[in-house]
Amino acid sequence: MTTKLRAILPPATIGILGGGQLGRMTAMAAKQMGYRVICLDPQPGSPCGQVCDHQIVGSFDDYKAARELAAHSDVIVYEFENISAAVVAQLEQEFCVPQGSRLLEITQNRVAEKAHLVHNGFPVVPYRVVENSEELAAAATALGYPVVLKSAIGGYDGKGQAVIKSPADLTEVNVSDQSVVEKFLSLEGEVSVIVARRADGEAAAFPIGQNVHRGNILHTTVVPARLSSQLSLQATALGVRIAESLGVVGLLAVEMFVTAQGIIVNELAPRPHNSGHYTLGACYTSQFEQFVRAVCGLPLAPTTLLYPVVMVNILGEHMAGLMEHFVTLPPEVKVHLYGKSGAPVARRKIGHILITTEQPEQAITWAEKVLGVQVSAEVDA
Ligand SMILES: Nc1ncnc2c1ncn2[C@@H]1O[C@H](COP(=O)(O)OP(=O)(O)OP(=O)(O)O)[C@@H](O)[C@H]1O
Ligand SMILES: [Mg+2]
């Protein structure tokens, strides 16, 4: 079915709920296209606020603040999941919120997200929902050790997660809220796909990214992914089908595990994604521009990869090493920093590096040296 779309044209105002780096890069793409951009974030001078026309300072569950943003916006988007779904649901009664509250409600809660995936026949890691220690012990026995416990809401970069290798570890963890316990799989690799979708159902996927995590935080993305063309096609089709099942308008990032049994969905994000930062320059269209296009009802633009690329995240602890080498970085290296305020915080993403290269391993080794990445540090089990 084709829904008639009314495009939101520049210089209309895009209101962003959230002021982090994803909002910042979305705002930069939107500004380039001639939109006005405002954002809402509790922290004054947020990464997004720095590049916006205006920032409203307020918390994400403050309906009054969100309404103030909405009153000054022609279209409202969210750039991360921990925005109150109730606030978004209230906003969409009165204002244009193309992503909608249902997508947020599902993807901000692991239990709801997995239930949606299972209900629609998508492959997920074997899991159980638990609410207390007894249920956890029973679930771990049923699934078989090792397992990983993940809080249903609020987790990112591995926060709120614990790997439980044997029954002895059960005493170390505390289940206070609803959580998901998953079988801890032996992975051949991790990949992700970012799908843009318009209200009329037109969808476009970006090339698959191959991701490596360190200490549960995304470390590198390599594109093209070193994946058979059959698996690449399968991963892309899976991403598009999941976006359709959710009626996504905007972007959907689908994180996937590659296992001996095939591709399994790890988790979803209803917004631009860290593993899509490589699209800045390496693709004909960036994920941020595509996000703006999708929510504003503009035609989606080509997602073609222009050159092979490696993305390496910069965490707080890497800032000193980076600054030491800053003036001697080779020309094929692009540094993106997010303008986070205060002293760099360890294990917090403060930027990323993009390197054009046909030799991803070499580029990653070089970047790790420059950033002072502790290569011997504990890597995900
Ligand atoms: N069941 C599993 N089996 C094996 N590895 C896993 C499993 N669950 C998580 N991991 C590892 O931990 C990483 C982070 O897990 P997950 O994506 O669930 O966490 P998150 O905190 O929501 O991360 P994000 O920063 O992507 O939001 C995964 O990318 C993967 O490397
Ligand atoms: Mg993840």
Side-chain angles (χ1 to χ4, degrees), residues 213 255 266-267:
H213 292 75
E255 297 179 17
N266 171 26
E267 62 170 353

Side-chain angles (χ1 to χ4, degrees), residues 203-216:
F206 284 96
I208 303 285
Q210 174 135 26
N211 304 320
V212 171
H213 292 75
R214 245 173 213 288
N216 279 325

Side-chain angles (χ1 to χ4, degrees), residues 61-123:
D61 50 13
D62 176 355
Y63 180 66
K64 238 180 97 209
R67 207 181 177 292
E68 191 192 335
L69 179 93
H72 292 96
S73 305
D74 296 291
V75 55
I76 300 144
V77 299
Y78 44 83
E79 59 110 37
F80 88 138
E81 290 92 310
N82 295 331
I83 302 278
S84 159
V87 164
V88 175
Q90 249 177 301
L91 287 182
E92 73 189 339
Q93 302 294 319
E94 251 188 281
F95 302 99
C96 173
V97 192
Q99 290 157 292
S101 61
R102 181 175 166 264
L103 176 65
L104 182 63
E105 230 170 83
I106 294 174
T107 55
Q108 74 181 185
N109 182 313
R110 281 187 205 280
V111 174
E113 183 176 296
K114 288 203 190 277
H116 175 88
L117 291 167
V118 170
H119 180 72
N120 288 278
F122 298 114

